Amino acid sequence: MYALKGQRIMQAVLSPEAIAKVNREKTERDEETGQDWHQGSLAVWILPTAGLSADLMQLWKHSDETYRQSCASCHALPHSEEYLANQWIGTLGAMKRYTSLDDAEYRLMLSWLQDHSKDVGPATQGGGHK
């Protein structure tokens, strides 16, 4: 599942069983790519001990700090708004091997960069996704 139409900002990876339970609410065609995007929802239950945080600002702060520490040691940091959300996938992917980030840290940093990108971030009409 992705956060926004036309943006490959990963929100969840679903099993085939979970995909079958997604409620498709609306379909829109992306005129630039010709792809159909389906707005959907999925009801889930989460244990309170699952270690999840609802404090998005704290997660973004942590991601910003991780970005600065992991990437500034080798080169000048590009501002998050220098790239489009979908461009960050390849840009950060090319650099992953030079970091000590585990998969969860990498995915969180990628999500932060995409949420603060040129076409999704605070400078755009929507002000990012939630």
Side-chain angles (χ1 to χ4, degrees):
M1 292 188 88
Y2 297 102
L4 300 167
K5 178 186 81 167
Q7 304 293 353
R8 294 178 299 154
I9 303 172
M10 188 73 63
Q11 291 292 287
V13 177
L14 304 176
S15 68
E17 296 82 13
I19 291 170
K21 295 179 181 180
V22 171
N23 296 315
R24 286 194 182 178
E25 298 160 1
K26 181 169 90 173
T27 298
E28 291 183 27
R29 180 166 293 259
D30 184 339
E31 296 304 324
E32 290 183 30
T33 65
Q35 292 179 319
D36 287 334
W37 287 78
H38 310 284
Q39 184 176 15
S41 63
L42 178 65
V44 298
W45 292 92
I46 300 172
L47 293 171
T49 58
L52 301 175
S53 173
D55 187 347
L56 184 59
M57 295 315 294
Q58 186 63 31
L59 287 171
W60 281 170
K61 181 181 177 197
H62 172 74
S63 299
D64 179 49
E65 291 168 0
T66 301
Y67 175 61
R68 292 176 190 288
Q69 291 172 1
S70 297
C71 303
S73 62
C74 296
H75 57 79
L77 288 177
H79 191 276
S80 63
E81 291 185 8
E82 286 185 38
Y83 295 101
L84 302 173
N86 290 338
Q87 289 175 320
W88 272 116
I89 298 166
T91 301
L92 192 62
M95 295 288 110
K96 183 179 180 185
R97 66 180 177 202
Y98 300 112
T99 73
S100 60
L101 298 173
D102 64 27
D103 287 343
E105 291 169 322
Y106 172 80
R107 285 190 303 269
L108 182 60
M109 186 189 324
L110 177 58
S111 182
W112 177 81
L113 287 165
Q114 289 180 301
D115 191 74
H116 294 81
S117 65
K118 183 187 302 186
D119 57 342
V120 176
T124 65
Q125 290 269 334
H129 76 273
K130 299 199 180 341

